[in-house]
Every structure is written in C-alpha cells, then in structure tokens.
Amino acid sequence: QVQLVESGGGLVQAGGSLRLSCAASGSMFAIKTMAWHRQAPGKQRELVARITNGDITNYADSVKGRFTISRDDPKKSVYLQMNSLKPEDTAVYYCNADIWSTRGSVFTWNYWGQGTQVTVSS
C-alpha cells in the first residue's frame, strides 16, 4: 500500500516563506506525476503545481513566480517552495501522485496525502 506523507505546513506572516515536503512510501515501481493541490474553507480543491517524471512543471496562475515545485526521485519526494506568501494562500495543502505499481504497468494509481495546513496572517 502506498502512502504519501506531507510536512512543512504552519503559520507564517504575509510575505514570508514555507517549504512543503511530501514523501511516498510503500510498494511501487516509479512515480509518474506529482502535484500539490490546496483547499481553502468553503472552496473547491484546486491544483497549485504539478511536475512530471520528465520535470515538466505547470502552475496555477495565482502562484506563478512565487511557488516552485521540485522532485527528488531517489527519495520519492516532491517539494513546494512557497515565497511571498499571501493571506489568500491559506489552505490545506495536499500532495498527489500518479504511481506505476509494477514495471511495465500501462496505467497508474492515484494517491493523496492527508494534507498539511498553511496559514498566512496579514
């Protein structure tokens, strides 16, 4: 069974920085795509940033130029460096991954972490 465990959330003042980490564990062959999503109170969950196994990245318009996603495949981890944080970045941040379970698998399995709270005070 694959698990994703996030860390690094917390309380920060506007303009500050945080770095989120997410580590995958369990039985798997490789990770295809890793992403960060977030959900603010009363709002739908939204994609923040995504990175493929070819290191192609894409970002939500609201975080472009402020957030950077990266991955470390040997550590089965993904990171989100968040700079110039704004109160509107306050949300629970979730790690998401598409994972090939075995060598030669055509399809991937999708997994979610439990979430980590990020609160930005004004």
Side-chain angles (χ1 to χ4, degrees):
Q1 185 72 2
V2 172
Q3 284 190 321
L4 302 179
V5 179
E6 301 105 332
S7 61
L11 173 64
V12 64
Q13 287 188 332
S17 299
L18 282 174
R19 185 177 188 244
L20 304 183
S21 300
C22 171
S25 63
S27 178
M28 69 186 79
F29 170 64
I31 302 174
K32 182 179 181 181
T33 301
M34 304 188 83
W36 289 96
H37 296 246
R38 68 186 180 187
Q39 187 167 19
K43 295 187 177 181
Q44 288 189 329
R45 191 173 297 189
E46 63 175 355
L47 174 68
V48 175
R50 178 189 288 122
I51 184 167
T52 71
N53 55 321
D55 287 334
I56 296 172
T57 59
N58 62 285
Y59 296 89
D61 287 342
S62 59
V63 306
K64 282 180 181 177
R66 300 188 297 122
F67 291 10
T68 302
I69 189 170
S70 60
R71 60 191 283 169
D72 184 333
D73 287 335
K75 294 184 178 180
K76 299 178 183 177
S77 294
V78 64
Y79 308 97
L80 186 67
Q81 178 66 43
M82 305 185 294
N83 298 329
S84 302
L85 283 161
K86 303 175 181 180
E88 51 263 43
D89 294 317
T90 295
V92 178
Y93 284 70
Y94 296 91
C95 177
N96 178 259
D98 291 317
I99 295 175
W100 287 293
S101 58
T102 58
R103 182 184 296 273
S105 295
V106 176
F107 301 104
T108 57
W109 294 89
N110 186 259
Y111 297 91
W112 289 91
Q114 82 287 352
T116 185
Q117 177 70 47
V118 171
T119 303
V120 184
S121 63
S122 57

PDB file of all heavy atoms in Angstrom, residues 17-21 34-36 48-51 55-60 62-71 77-85 93:
ATOM      1  N   SER A  17       7.929  32.811   3.827  1.00  0.00           N
ATOM      2  CA  SER A  17       8.134  31.614   3.009  1.00  0.00           C
ATOM      3  C   SER A  17       7.907  30.353   3.824  1.00  0.00           C
ATOM      4  O   SER A  17       8.101  30.341   5.045  1.00  0.00           O
ATOM      5  CB  SER A  17       9.568  31.589   2.454  1.00  0.00           C
ATOM      6  OG  SER A  17       9.835  32.697   1.629  1.00  0.00           O
ATOM      7  N   LEU A  18       7.516  29.303   3.130  1.00  0.00           N
ATOM      8  CA  LEU A  18       7.422  27.965   3.692  1.00  0.00           C
ATOM      9  C   LEU A  18       7.836  26.974   2.620  1.00  0.00           C
ATOM     10  O   LEU A  18       7.680  27.250   1.425  1.00  0.00           O
ATOM     11  CB  LEU A  18       5.992  27.634   4.139  1.00  0.00           C
ATOM     12  CG  LEU A  18       5.475  28.207   5.447  1.00  0.00           C
ATOM     13  CD1 LEU A  18       4.000  27.861   5.614  1.00  0.00           C
ATOM     14  CD2 LEU A  18       6.272  27.686   6.633  1.00  0.00           C
ATOM     15  N   ARG A  19       8.330  25.811   3.069  1.00  0.00           N
ATOM     16  CA  ARG A  19       8.666  24.746   2.133  1.00  0.00           C
ATOM     17  C   ARG A  19       7.921  23.491   2.567  1.00  0.00           C
ATOM     18  O   ARG A  19       8.131  22.980   3.675  1.00  0.00           O
ATOM     19  CB  ARG A  19      10.157  24.487   2.114  1.00  0.00           C
ATOM     20  CG  ARG A  19      10.601  23.455   1.075  1.00  0.00           C
ATOM     21  CD  ARG A  19      12.105  23.320   1.071  1.00  0.00           C
ATOM     22  NE  ARG A  19      12.606  22.499  -0.004  1.00  0.00           N
ATOM     23  CZ  ARG A  19      13.242  21.354   0.160  1.00  0.00           C
ATOM     24  NH1 ARG A  19      13.455  20.896   1.384  1.00  0.00           N
ATOM     25  NH2 ARG A  19      13.697  20.677  -0.880  1.00  0.00           N
ATOM     26  N   LEU A  20       7.059  23.002   1.690  1.00  0.00           N
ATOM     27  CA  LEU A  20       6.330  21.780   1.953  1.00  0.00           C
ATOM     28  C   LEU A  20       7.073  20.593   1.353  1.00  0.00           C
ATOM     29  O   LEU A  20       7.680  20.712   0.290  1.00  0.00           O
ATOM     30  CB  LEU A  20       4.928  21.850   1.356  1.00  0.00           C
ATOM     31  CG  LEU A  20       4.037  23.017   1.776  1.00  0.00           C
ATOM     32  CD1 LEU A  20       2.664  22.875   1.134  1.00  0.00           C
ATOM     33  CD2 LEU A  20       3.928  23.107   3.277  1.00  0.00           C
ATOM     34  N   SER A  21       6.987  19.474   2.052  1.00  0.00           N
ATOM     35  CA  SER A  21       7.595  18.234   1.572  1.00  0.00           C
ATOM     36  C   SER A  21       6.556  17.138   1.572  1.00  0.00           C
ATOM     37  O   SER A  21       5.635  17.134   2.393  1.00  0.00           O
ATOM     38  CB  SER A  21       8.760  17.819   2.476  1.00  0.00           C
ATOM     39  OG  SER A  21       9.763  18.800   2.524  1.00  0.00           O
ATOM     40  N   MET A  34       3.728  14.146  -9.909  1.00  0.00           N
ATOM     41  CA  MET A  34       3.465  14.546  -8.532  1.00  0.00           C
ATOM     42  C   MET A  34       2.918  15.964  -8.553  1.00  0.00           C
ATOM     43  O   MET A  34       3.295  16.767  -9.420  1.00  0.00           O
ATOM     44  CB  MET A  34       4.736  14.451  -7.682  1.00  0.00           C
ATOM     45  CG  MET A  34       5.378  13.084  -7.708  1.00  0.00           C
ATOM     46  SD  MET A  34       6.732  12.896  -6.532  1.00  0.00           S
ATOM     47  CE  MET A  34       5.822  12.495  -5.040  1.00  0.00           C
ATOM     48  N   ALA A  35       2.056  16.255  -7.613  1.00  0.00           N
ATOM     49  CA  ALA A  35       1.405  17.558  -7.637  1.00  0.00           C
ATOM     50  C   ALA A  35       1.043  17.996  -6.225  1.00  0.00           C
ATOM     51  O   ALA A  35       0.979  17.183  -5.297  1.00  0.00           O
ATOM     52  CB  ALA A  35       0.143  17.501  -8.502  1.00  0.00           C
ATOM     53  N   TRP A  36       0.806  19.289  -6.109  1.00  0.00           N
ATOM     54  CA  TRP A  36       0.257  19.881  -4.899  1.00  0.00           C
ATOM     55  C   TRP A  36      -1.086  20.522  -5.257  1.00  0.00           C
ATOM     56  O   TRP A  36      -1.186  21.253  -6.246  1.00  0.00           O
ATOM     57  CB  TRP A  36       1.201  20.933  -4.332  1.00  0.00           C
ATOM     58  CG  TRP A  36       2.435  20.362  -3.732  1.00  0.00           C
ATOM     59  CD1 TRP A  36       3.652  20.213  -4.329  1.00  0.00           C
ATOM     60  CD2 TRP A  36       2.578  19.856  -2.392  1.00  0.00           C
ATOM     61  NE1 TRP A  36       4.536  19.642  -3.456  1.00  0.00           N
ATOM     62  CE2 TRP A  36       3.910  19.415  -2.266  1.00  0.00           C
ATOM     63  CE3 TRP A  36       1.723  19.739  -1.305  1.00  0.00           C
ATOM     64  CZ2 TRP A  36       4.396  18.859  -1.078  1.00  0.00           C
ATOM     65  CZ3 TRP A  36       2.216  19.186  -0.143  1.00  0.00           C
ATOM     66  CH2 TRP A  36       3.527  18.752  -0.025  1.00  0.00           C
ATOM     67  N   VAL A  48      -2.371  23.451  -7.498  1.00  0.00           N
ATOM     68  CA  VAL A  48      -1.412  24.522  -7.276  1.00  0.00           C
ATOM     69  C   VAL A  48      -0.233  24.380  -8.240  1.00  0.00           C
ATOM     70  O   VAL A  48       0.147  25.330  -8.914  1.00  0.00           O
ATOM     71  CB  VAL A  48      -0.892  24.499  -5.825  1.00  0.00           C
ATOM     72  CG1 VAL A  48       0.200  25.549  -5.631  1.00  0.00           C
ATOM     73  CG2 VAL A  48      -2.041  24.707  -4.848  1.00  0.00           C
ATOM     74  N   ALA A  49       0.347  23.182  -8.289  1.00  0.00           N
ATOM     75  CA  ALA A  49       1.512  22.952  -9.142  1.00  0.00           C
ATOM     76  C   ALA A  49       1.639  21.460  -9.409  1.00  0.00           C
ATOM     77  O   ALA A  49       1.245  20.645  -8.588  1.00  0.00           O
ATOM     78  CB  ALA A  49       2.784  23.480  -8.491  1.00  0.00           C
ATOM     79  N   ARG A  50       2.227  21.141 -10.572  1.00  0.00           N
ATOM     80  CA  ARG A  50       2.389  19.751 -10.987  1.00  0.00           C
ATOM     81  C   ARG A  50       3.756  19.592 -11.633  1.00  0.00           C
ATOM     82  O   ARG A  50       4.238  20.503 -12.309  1.00  0.00           O
ATOM     83  CB  ARG A  50       1.296  19.352 -11.973  1.00  0.00           C
ATOM     84  CG  ARG A  50       1.416  17.929 -12.495  1.00  0.00           C
ATOM     85  CD  ARG A  50       0.423  17.685 -13.624  1.00  0.00           C
ATOM     86  NE  ARG A  50      -0.946  17.598 -13.135  1.00  0.00           N
ATOM     87  CZ  ARG A  50      -1.918  18.391 -13.558  1.00  0.00           C
ATOM     88  NH1 ARG A  50      -1.667  19.340 -14.438  1.00  0.00           N
ATOM     89  NH2 ARG A  50      -3.143  18.233 -13.089  1.00  0.00           N
ATOM     90  N   ILE A  51       4.370  18.422 -11.430  1.00  0.00           N
ATOM     91  CA  ILE A  51       5.645  18.134 -12.063  1.00  0.00           C
ATOM     92  C   ILE A  51       5.633  16.700 -12.572  1.00  0.00           C
ATOM     93  O   ILE A  51       5.261  15.775 -11.852  1.00  0.00           O
ATOM     94  CB  ILE A  51       6.826  18.377 -11.096  1.00  0.00           C
ATOM     95  CG1 ILE A  51       8.160  18.170 -11.815  1.00  0.00           C
ATOM     96  CG2 ILE A  51       6.723  17.525  -9.840  1.00  0.00           C
ATOM     97  CD1 ILE A  51       9.356  18.693 -11.009  1.00  0.00           C
ATOM     98  N   ASP A  55      10.219  16.218 -15.519  1.00  0.00           N
ATOM     99  CA  ASP A  55      10.469  17.524 -14.917  1.00  0.00           C
ATOM    100  C   ASP A  55       9.765  18.679 -15.635  1.00  0.00           C
ATOM    101  O   ASP A  55      10.218  19.822 -15.579  1.00  0.00           O
ATOM    102  CB  ASP A  55      11.969  17.819 -14.789  1.00  0.00           C
ATOM    103  CG  ASP A  55      12.620  17.012 -13.685  1.00  0.00           C
ATOM    104  OD1 ASP A  55      11.910  16.628 -12.738  1.00  0.00           O
ATOM    105  OD2 ASP A  55      13.834  16.747 -13.770  1.00  0.00           O
ATOM    106  N   ILE A  56       8.680  18.372 -16.300  1.00  0.00           N
ATOM    107  CA  ILE A  56       7.847  19.435 -16.866  1.00  0.00           C
ATOM    108  C   ILE A  56       6.914  19.918 -15.766  1.00  0.00           C
ATOM    109  O   ILE A  56       6.258  19.117 -15.099  1.00  0.00           O
ATOM    110  CB  ILE A  56       7.049  18.924 -18.072  1.00  0.00           C
ATOM    111  CG1 ILE A  56       8.011  18.518 -19.189  1.00  0.00           C
ATOM    112  CG2 ILE A  56       6.070  19.992 -18.549  1.00  0.00           C
ATOM    113  CD1 ILE A  56       7.333  17.825 -20.343  1.00  0.00           C
ATOM    114  N   THR A  57       6.875  21.231 -15.583  1.00  0.00           N
ATOM    115  CA  THR A  57       6.074  21.797 -14.498  1.00  0.00           C
ATOM    116  C   THR A  57       4.970  22.689 -15.040  1.00  0.00           C
ATOM    117  O   THR A  57       5.079  23.254 -16.143  1.00  0.00           O
ATOM    118  CB  THR A  57       6.946  22.625 -13.544  1.00  0.00           C
ATOM    119  OG1 THR A  57       7.570  23.687 -14.278  1.00  0.00           O
ATOM    120  CG2 THR A  57       8.023  21.767 -12.905  1.00  0.00           C
ATOM    121  N   ASN A  58       3.904  22.787 -14.281  1.00  0.00           N
ATOM    122  CA  ASN A  58       2.912  23.806 -14.545  1.00  0.00           C
ATOM    123  C   ASN A  58       2.327  24.287 -13.220  1.00  0.00           C
ATOM    124  O   ASN A  58       2.327  23.548 -12.231  1.00  0.00           O
ATOM    125  CB  ASN A  58       1.825  23.341 -15.519  1.00  0.00           C
ATOM    126  CG  ASN A  58       1.029  22.186 -15.008  1.00  0.00           C
ATOM    127  OD1 ASN A  58       1.480  21.056 -14.983  1.00  0.00           O
ATOM    128  ND2 ASN A  58      -0.204  22.474 -14.586  1.00  0.00           N
ATOM    129  N   TYR A  59       1.874  25.534 -13.237  1.00  0.00           N
ATOM    130  CA  TYR A  59       1.438  26.201 -12.027  1.00  0.00           C
ATOM    131  C   TYR A  59       0.085  26.888 -12.234  1.00  0.00           C
ATOM    132  O   TYR A  59      -0.245  27.328 -13.333  1.00  0.00           O
ATOM    133  CB  TYR A  59       2.451  27.287 -11.625  1.00  0.00           C
ATOM    134  CG  TYR A  59       3.818  26.761 -11.270  1.00  0.00           C
ATOM    135  CD1 TYR A  59       4.794  26.600 -12.242  1.00  0.00           C
ATOM    136  CD2 TYR A  59       4.127  26.421  -9.953  1.00  0.00           C
ATOM    137  CE1 TYR A  59       6.056  26.116 -11.920  1.00  0.00           C
ATOM    138  CE2 TYR A  59       5.379  25.943  -9.621  1.00  0.00           C
ATOM    139  CZ  TYR A  59       6.335  25.795 -10.609  1.00  0.00           C
ATOM    140  OH  TYR A  59       7.587  25.306 -10.270  1.00  0.00           O
ATOM    141  N   ALA A  60      -0.638  27.021 -11.145  1.00  0.00           N
ATOM    142  CA  ALA A  60      -1.824  27.870 -11.165  1.00  0.00           C
ATOM    143  C   ALA A  60      -1.370  29.309 -11.371  1.00  0.00           C
ATOM    144  O   ALA A  60      -0.309  29.712 -10.882  1.00  0.00           O
ATOM    145  CB  ALA A  60      -2.590  27.736  -9.852  1.00  0.00           C
ATOM    146  N   SER A  62      -2.310  31.902 -10.008  1.00  0.00           N
ATOM    147  CA  SER A  62      -2.239  32.654  -8.756  1.00  0.00           C
ATOM    148  C   SER A  62      -0.913  32.479  -8.023  1.00  0.00           C
ATOM    149  O   SER A  62      -0.601  33.266  -7.127  1.00  0.00           O
ATOM    150  CB  SER A  62      -3.386  32.245  -7.836  1.00  0.00           C
ATOM    151  OG  SER A  62      -3.318  30.851  -7.570  1.00  0.00           O
ATOM    152  N   VAL A  63      -0.129  31.457  -8.385  1.00  0.00           N
ATOM    153  CA  VAL A  63       1.120  31.203  -7.668  1.00  0.00           C
ATOM    154  C   VAL A  63       2.353  31.330  -8.569  1.00  0.00           C
ATOM    155  O   VAL A  63       3.482  31.217  -8.078  1.00  0.00           O
ATOM    156  CB  VAL A  63       1.119  29.815  -6.995  1.00  0.00           C
ATOM    157  CG1 VAL A  63      -0.112  29.653  -6.112  1.00  0.00           C
ATOM    158  CG2 VAL A  63       1.214  28.693  -8.005  1.00  0.00           C
ATOM    159  N   LYS A  64       2.154  31.564  -9.834  1.00  0.00           N
ATOM    160  CA  LYS A  64       3.296  31.675 -10.749  1.00  0.00           C
ATOM    161  C   LYS A  64       4.243  32.779 -10.297  1.00  0.00           C
ATOM    162  O   LYS A  64       3.814  33.877  -9.947  1.00  0.00           O
ATOM    163  CB  LYS A  64       2.809  31.961 -12.174  1.00  0.00           C
ATOM    164  CG  LYS A  64       2.274  30.752 -12.900  1.00  0.00           C
ATOM    165  CD  LYS A  64       1.814  31.112 -14.302  1.00  0.00           C
ATOM    166  CE  LYS A  64       1.247  29.896 -15.023  1.00  0.00           C
ATOM    167  NZ  LYS A  64       0.721  30.241 -16.368  1.00  0.00           N
ATOM    168  N   GLY A  65       5.540  32.451 -10.310  1.00  0.00           N
ATOM    169  CA  GLY A  65       6.546  33.419  -9.898  1.00  0.00           C
ATOM    170  C   GLY A  65       6.786  33.459  -8.404  1.00  0.00           C
ATOM    171  O   GLY A  65       7.751  34.078  -7.945  1.00  0.00           O
ATOM    172  N   ARG A  66       5.929  32.804  -7.627  1.00  0.00           N
ATOM    173  CA  ARG A  66       6.090  32.783  -6.170  1.00  0.00           C
ATOM    174  C   ARG A  66       6.380  31.376  -5.647  1.00  0.00           C
ATOM    175  O   ARG A  66       7.112  31.217  -4.674  1.00  0.00           O
ATOM    176  CB  ARG A  66       4.829  33.324  -5.488  1.00  0.00           C
ATOM    177  CG  ARG A  66       4.470  34.738  -5.857  1.00  0.00           C
ATOM    178  CD  ARG A  66       3.323  35.280  -4.997  1.00  0.00           C
ATOM    179  NE  ARG A  66       2.092  34.530  -5.178  1.00  0.00           N
ATOM    180  CZ  ARG A  66       1.435  33.910  -4.189  1.00  0.00           C
ATOM    181  NH1 ARG A  66       1.908  33.935  -2.952  1.00  0.00           N
ATOM    182  NH2 ARG A  66       0.298  33.264  -4.431  1.00  0.00           N
ATOM    183  N   PHE A  67       5.785  30.366  -6.265  1.00  0.00           N
ATOM    184  CA  PHE A  67       5.940  28.977  -5.819  1.00  0.00           C
ATOM    185  C   PHE A  67       6.801  28.203  -6.816  1.00  0.00           C
ATOM    186  O   PHE A  67       6.740  28.456  -8.024  1.00  0.00           O
ATOM    187  CB  PHE A  67       4.589  28.283  -5.722  1.00  0.00           C
ATOM    188  CG  PHE A  67       3.695  28.768  -4.623  1.00  0.00           C
ATOM    189  CD1 PHE A  67       3.981  29.907  -3.887  1.00  0.00           C
ATOM    190  CD2 PHE A  67       2.531  28.067  -4.314  1.00  0.00           C
ATOM    191  CE1 PHE A  67       3.153  30.350  -2.875  1.00  0.00           C
ATOM    192  CE2 PHE A  67       1.683  28.495  -3.307  1.00  0.00           C
ATOM    193  CZ  PHE A  67       1.994  29.640  -2.591  1.00  0.00           C
ATOM    194  N   THR A  68       7.567  27.251  -6.292  1.00  0.00           N
ATOM    195  CA  THR A  68       8.374  26.386  -7.136  1.00  0.00           C
ATOM    196  C   THR A  68       8.207  24.940  -6.689  1.00  0.00           C
ATOM    197  O   THR A  68       8.410  24.627  -5.512  1.00  0.00           O
ATOM    198  CB  THR A  68       9.863  26.763  -7.065  1.00  0.00           C
ATOM    199  OG1 THR A  68      10.030  28.135  -7.457  1.00  0.00           O
ATOM    200  CG2 THR A  68      10.684  25.874  -7.987  1.00  0.00           C
ATOM    201  N   ILE A  69       7.843  24.080  -7.636  1.00  0.00           N
ATOM    202  CA  ILE A  69       7.711  22.653  -7.340  1.00  0.00           C
ATOM    203  C   ILE A  69       8.966  21.931  -7.831  1.00  0.00           C
ATOM    204  O   ILE A  69       9.531  22.287  -8.881  1.00  0.00           O
ATOM    205  CB  ILE A  69       6.441  22.057  -7.987  1.00  0.00           C
ATOM    206  CG1 ILE A  69       6.199  20.633  -7.480  1.00  0.00           C
ATOM    207  CG2 ILE A  69       6.503  22.116  -9.507  1.00  0.00           C
ATOM    208  CD1 ILE A  69       4.836  20.065  -7.894  1.00  0.00           C
ATOM    209  N   SER A  70       9.403  20.944  -7.070  1.00  0.00           N
ATOM    210  CA  SER A  70      10.555  20.142  -7.470  1.00  0.00           C
ATOM    211  C   SER A  70      10.364  18.728  -6.937  1.00  0.00           C
ATOM    212  O   SER A  70       9.515  18.501  -6.074  1.00  0.00           O
ATOM    213  CB  SER A  70      11.862  20.747  -6.930  1.00  0.00           C
ATOM    214  OG  SER A  70      11.843  20.805  -5.519  1.00  0.00           O
ATOM    215  N   ARG A  71      11.170  17.794  -7.456  1.00  0.00           N
ATOM    216  CA  ARG A  71      11.041  16.417  -7.010  1.00  0.00           C
ATOM    217  C   ARG A  71      12.419  15.789  -6.873  1.00  0.00           C
ATOM    218  O   ARG A  71      13.368  16.206  -7.541  1.00  0.00           O
ATOM    219  CB  ARG A  71      10.159  15.594  -7.962  1.00  0.00           C
ATOM    220  CG  ARG A  71      10.658  15.518  -9.387  1.00  0.00           C
ATOM    221  CD  ARG A  71       9.584  14.910 -10.302  1.00  0.00           C
ATOM    222  NE  ARG A  71       9.491  13.460 -10.154  1.00  0.00           N
ATOM    223  CZ  ARG A  71       8.507  12.727 -10.664  1.00  0.00           C
ATOM    224  NH1 ARG A  71       7.528  13.319 -11.336  1.00  0.00           N
ATOM    225  NH2 ARG A  71       8.492  11.410 -10.503  1.00  0.00           N
ATOM    226  N   SER A  77      10.151  11.857  -3.389  1.00  0.00           N
ATOM    227  CA  SER A  77       9.624  13.045  -2.718  1.00  0.00           C
ATOM    228  C   SER A  77       9.349  14.177  -3.700  1.00  0.00           C
ATOM    229  O   SER A  77       9.963  14.269  -4.765  1.00  0.00           O
ATOM    230  CB  SER A  77      10.620  13.526  -1.663  1.00  0.00           C
ATOM    231  OG  SER A  77      10.750  12.584  -0.614  1.00  0.00           O
ATOM    232  N   VAL A  78       8.430  15.029  -3.284  1.00  0.00           N
ATOM    233  CA  VAL A  78       8.124  16.244  -4.012  1.00  0.00           C
ATOM    234  C   VAL A  78       8.101  17.394  -3.005  1.00  0.00           C
ATOM    235  O   VAL A  78       7.737  17.195  -1.845  1.00  0.00           O
ATOM    236  CB  VAL A  78       6.787  16.129  -4.770  1.00  0.00           C
ATOM    237  CG1 VAL A  78       5.612  15.966  -3.817  1.00  0.00           C
ATOM    238  CG2 VAL A  78       6.575  17.314  -5.691  1.00  0.00           C
ATOM    239  N   TYR A  79       8.501  18.571  -3.477  1.00  0.00           N
ATOM    240  CA  TYR A  79       8.598  19.726  -2.610  1.00  0.00           C
ATOM    241  C   TYR A  79       7.863  20.913  -3.234  1.00  0.00           C
ATOM    242  O   TYR A  79       7.710  20.990  -4.453  1.00  0.00           O
ATOM    243  CB  TYR A  79      10.076  20.106  -2.396  1.00  0.00           C
ATOM    244  CG  TYR A  79      10.920  18.943  -1.954  1.00  0.00           C
ATOM    245  CD1 TYR A  79      11.672  18.219  -2.880  1.00  0.00           C
ATOM    246  CD2 TYR A  79      10.940  18.546  -0.630  1.00  0.00           C
ATOM    247  CE1 TYR A  79      12.440  17.134  -2.492  1.00  0.00           C
ATOM    248  CE2 TYR A  79      11.711  17.456  -0.229  1.00  0.00           C
ATOM    249  CZ  TYR A  79      12.448  16.756  -1.158  1.00  0.00           C
ATOM    250  OH  TYR A  79      13.201  15.669  -0.771  1.00  0.00           O
ATOM    251  N   LEU A  80       7.424  21.812  -2.376  1.00  0.00           N
ATOM    252  CA  LEU A  80       6.815  23.047  -2.846  1.00  0.00           C
ATOM    253  C   LEU A  80       7.422  24.194  -2.046  1.00  0.00           C
ATOM    254  O   LEU A  80       7.144  24.338  -0.846  1.00  0.00           O
ATOM    255  CB  LEU A  80       5.296  23.029  -2.672  1.00  0.00           C
ATOM    256  CG  LEU A  80       4.558  24.216  -3.277  1.00  0.00           C
ATOM    257  CD1 LEU A  80       4.671  24.179  -4.815  1.00  0.00           C
ATOM    258  CD2 LEU A  80       3.099  24.226  -2.854  1.00  0.00           C
ATOM    259  N   GLN A  81       8.262  24.972  -2.704  1.00  0.00           N
ATOM    260  CA  GLN A  81       8.820  26.164  -2.091  1.00  0.00           C
ATOM    261  C   GLN A  81       7.862  27.313  -2.334  1.00  0.00           C
ATOM    262  O   GLN A  81       7.575  27.639  -3.487  1.00  0.00           O
ATOM    263  CB  GLN A  81      10.193  26.482  -2.691  1.00  0.00           C
ATOM    264  CG  GLN A  81      10.833  27.749  -2.133  1.00  0.00           C
ATOM    265  CD  GLN A  81      11.185  27.609  -0.652  1.00  0.00           C
ATOM    266  OE1 GLN A  81      11.694  26.598  -0.223  1.00  0.00           O
ATOM    267  NE2 GLN A  81      10.891  28.666   0.112  1.00  0.00           N
ATOM    268  N   MET A  82       7.381  27.896  -1.256  1.00  0.00           N
ATOM    269  CA  MET A  82       6.381  28.956  -1.349  1.00  0.00           C
ATOM    270  C   MET A  82       6.985  30.244  -0.799  1.00  0.00           C
ATOM    271  O   MET A  82       7.314  30.317   0.386  1.00  0.00           O
ATOM    272  CB  MET A  82       5.127  28.575  -0.560  1.00  0.00           C
ATOM    273  CG  MET A  82       4.531  27.246  -0.976  1.00  0.00           C
ATOM    274  SD  MET A  82       2.965  26.878  -0.148  1.00  0.00           S
ATOM    275  CE  MET A  82       3.530  26.688   1.544  1.00  0.00           C
ATOM    276  N   ASN A  83       7.125  31.227  -1.665  1.00  0.00           N
ATOM    277  CA  ASN A  83       7.673  32.526  -1.289  1.00  0.00           C
ATOM    278  C   ASN A  83       6.613  33.609  -1.450  1.00  0.00           C
ATOM    279  O   ASN A  83       5.606  33.406  -2.128  1.00  0.00           O
ATOM    280  CB  ASN A  83       8.888  32.858  -2.154  1.00  0.00           C
ATOM    281  CG  ASN A  83      10.021  31.873  -1.982  1.00  0.00           C
ATOM    282  OD1 ASN A  83      10.219  31.292  -0.906  1.00  0.00           O
ATOM    283  ND2 ASN A  83      10.773  31.642  -3.047  1.00  0.00           N
ATOM    284  N   SER A  84       6.868  34.754  -0.831  1.00  0.00           N
ATOM    285  CA  SER A  84       5.952  35.896  -0.942  1.00  0.00           C
ATOM    286  C   SER A  84       4.520  35.467  -0.653  1.00  0.00           C
ATOM    287  O   SER A  84       3.593  35.782  -1.411  1.00  0.00           O
ATOM    288  CB  SER A  84       6.055  36.531  -2.336  1.00  0.00           C
ATOM    289  OG  SER A  84       7.367  36.947  -2.606  1.00  0.00           O
ATOM    290  N   LEU A  85       4.339  34.751   0.417  1.00  0.00           N
ATOM    291  CA  LEU A  85       3.013  34.211   0.743  1.00  0.00           C
ATOM    292  C   LEU A  85       2.022  35.315   1.044  1.00  0.00           C
ATOM    293  O   LEU A  85       2.365  36.375   1.592  1.00  0.00           O
ATOM    294  CB  LEU A  85       3.123  33.247   1.926  1.00  0.00           C
ATOM    295  CG  LEU A  85       3.683  31.876   1.561  1.00  0.00           C
ATOM    296  CD1 LEU A  85       4.199  31.144   2.782  1.00  0.00           C
ATOM    297  CD2 LEU A  85       2.607  31.043   0.858  1.00  0.00           C
ATOM    298  N   TYR A  93      -2.998  22.028   2.207  1.00  0.00           N
ATOM    299  CA  TYR A  93      -2.259  21.636   1.021  1.00  0.00           C
ATOM    300  C   TYR A  93      -2.112  20.113   0.982  1.00  0.00           C
ATOM    301  O   TYR A  93      -1.679  19.501   1.961  1.00  0.00           O
ATOM    302  CB  TYR A  93      -0.892  22.311   0.994  1.00  0.00           C
ATOM    303  CG  TYR A  93      -0.973  23.770   0.609  1.00  0.00           C
ATOM    304  CD1 TYR A  93      -1.536  24.712   1.464  1.00  0.00           C
ATOM    305  CD2 TYR A  93      -0.509  24.214  -0.632  1.00  0.00           C
ATOM    306  CE1 TYR A  93      -1.633  26.044   1.097  1.00  0.00           C
ATOM    307  CE2 TYR A  93      -0.592  25.547  -0.999  1.00  0.00           C
ATOM    308  CZ  TYR A  93      -1.162  26.457  -0.126  1.00  0.00           C
ATOM    309  OH  TYR A  93      -1.258  27.786  -0.496  1.00  0.00           O
TER     310      TYR A  93
END
